[in-house]
Amino acid sequence: MKFWQSSHVFQHPWSTVTQAFWRKYPNDYQSSVYGTDVIERYVDADGKLHSKRLIISDWNIPSFMKFFFGETRGYAVEYSIVDPVEQTLTLRSQNINAVSMFSMREEICYKSVGETTQLNHQAEFLFSVSRIVDEAAENWLVGTITEAARKGLMAMESISIKVEEEMRPALTAIDDIISTETIRSARKSIDSSITDAEKFIDSSIEYIDSSVDSLTQESSVKFT
C-alpha cells in the first residue's frame, strides 16, 4: 500500500475556489477526464450541500499493466459536502471498476482561510494483481496522481481567475448601486436635518414673537 499527500494555498477566496471546483471538468489541462455525471444532490437540514458524482477518465495504463486491466477507462464515485457556514468543501472518491486488482481512495478538503483557500489532498492505493507488478504499479500510480494533482491545480487556478473576471462587472454594478444608495441616503438625511432645523427656527421665531407680544401687552397695562 502507498500513501500520498500534498497541500496548496489558493490566493482566491473560498467562494471563488468552490465555484471553480464545480466547473473544473472539462478543462484544458486534464484531457484524460472525459466528464462527470451527478448521481444525487440534496441540501440537508443544516444547509449543507451533499453531492454524489460519477467521474469518468482514461487511466493511461502503462503497457506492462494492460494485460491485467484490459479496459483503460476508469470510473470513480465522488462524495462531497459543502458547508457554507464553516466554509469548507470536503470530498472522498474511490474507484468502482477493477476493484479486484486495485483500490484507490482520495480525500480532499478546500477550507477558507481569510481571503485565501487552503487545499489538503491525500490518497492511498493498493494493488493486488501480482507480487511481480504490484510495486511497479503502485510507483506508477504515485507518479500519475502527482502529475494529475499538478495539472488539477493549474486548472483550478485558471478557472478561479475566469470566475473572478466574470464576477467583476456584477461586483462593480453592486458597488455603483451601493454608492448611489449611500448618496441618496445622505441626501435624505441632509434634507431631513434641514427640514428639522427650519421647523426649529420657525418655532423659535414664533416663541419670540409671542414673548414680545406678551411683554408689550404687560407694559401697556402698567403705563395706563
Side-chain angles (χ1 to χ4, degrees):
M1 177 177 288
K2 296 282 187 180
F3 296 93
W4 178 92
Q5 63 180 6
S6 71
S7 62
H8 180 75
V9 177
F10 291 99
Q11 299 302 315
H12 306 282
W14 181 80
S15 58
T16 298
V17 175
T18 50
Q19 287 188 61
F21 171 79
W22 295 117
R23 297 167 57 174
K24 186 176 180 180
Y25 302 115
N27 64 69
D28 296 334
Y29 301 94
Q30 294 174 299
S31 58
S32 60
V33 180
Y34 296 127
T36 64
D37 288 317
V38 177
I39 301 172
E40 182 181 18
R41 180 166 287 169
Y42 66 93
V43 177
D44 65 19
D46 296 324
K48 298 176 183 177
L49 174 65
H50 295 250
S51 300
K52 180 180 179 181
R53 299 194 300 175
L54 178 67
I55 311 296
I56 309 167
S57 60
D58 187 343
W59 281 339
N60 294 318
I61 296 173
S63 56
F64 74 90
M65 292 173 57
K66 288 182 179 179
F67 172 79
F68 300 98
F69 282 82
E71 173 65 60
T72 60
R73 179 170 293 193
Y75 300 87
V77 174
E78 173 195 271
Y79 302 88
S80 64
I81 301 176
V82 179
D83 187 336
V85 176
E86 296 296 328
Q87 292 196 322
T88 59
L89 165 58
T90 57
L91 60 101
R92 296 177 294 108
S93 64
Q94 180 172 352
N95 63 297
I96 57 174
N97 66 323
V99 291
S100 63
M101 291 178 284
F102 90 105
S103 66
M104 176 175 172
R105 298 184 180 90
E106 288 185 89
E107 292 187 8
I108 299 174
C109 179
Y110 297 90
K111 181 176 178 60
S112 176
V113 182
E115 291 300 313
T116 65
T117 303
Q118 174 73 41
L119 164 65
N120 292 316
H121 186 179
Q122 59 185 20
E124 62 178 48
F125 23 84
L126 172 66
F127 275 84
S128 54
V129 177
S130 164
R131 293 177 114 184
I132 301 174
V133 299
D134 284 353
E135 182 70 18
E138 289 175 357
N139 290 335
W140 161 77
L141 195 49
V142 168
T144 298
I145 193 172
T146 300
E147 181 63 12
R150 185 185 69 84
K151 291 181 178 179
L153 290 177
M154 294 170 63
M156 287 289 289
E157 182 66 29
S158 173
I159 300 168
S160 293
I161 293 173
K162 184 177 181 181
V163 168
E164 290 180 341
E165 289 175 348
E166 292 174 351
M167 291 175 63
R168 192 167 291 118
L171 293 174
T172 300
I174 292 172
D175 288 341
D176 290 343
I177 292 172
I178 292 174
S179 298
T180 301
E181 289 300 319
T182 301
I183 293 171
R184 288 176 180 173
S185 177
R187 285 176 177 172
K188 286 182 180 179
S189 179
I190 293 170
D191 291 342
S192 177
S193 298
I194 292 173
T195 301
D196 291 341
E198 289 174 343
K199 288 181 179 179
F200 175 76
I201 292 170
D202 290 341
S203 176
S204 298
I205 292 172
E206 289 177 0
Y207 174 76
I208 293 170
D209 289 343
S210 175
S211 298
V212 170
D213 290 342
S214 177
L215 289 171
T216 302
Q217 291 176 3
E218 290 178 1
S219 300
S220 176
V221 170
K222 287 180 180 178
F223 285 99
T224 39

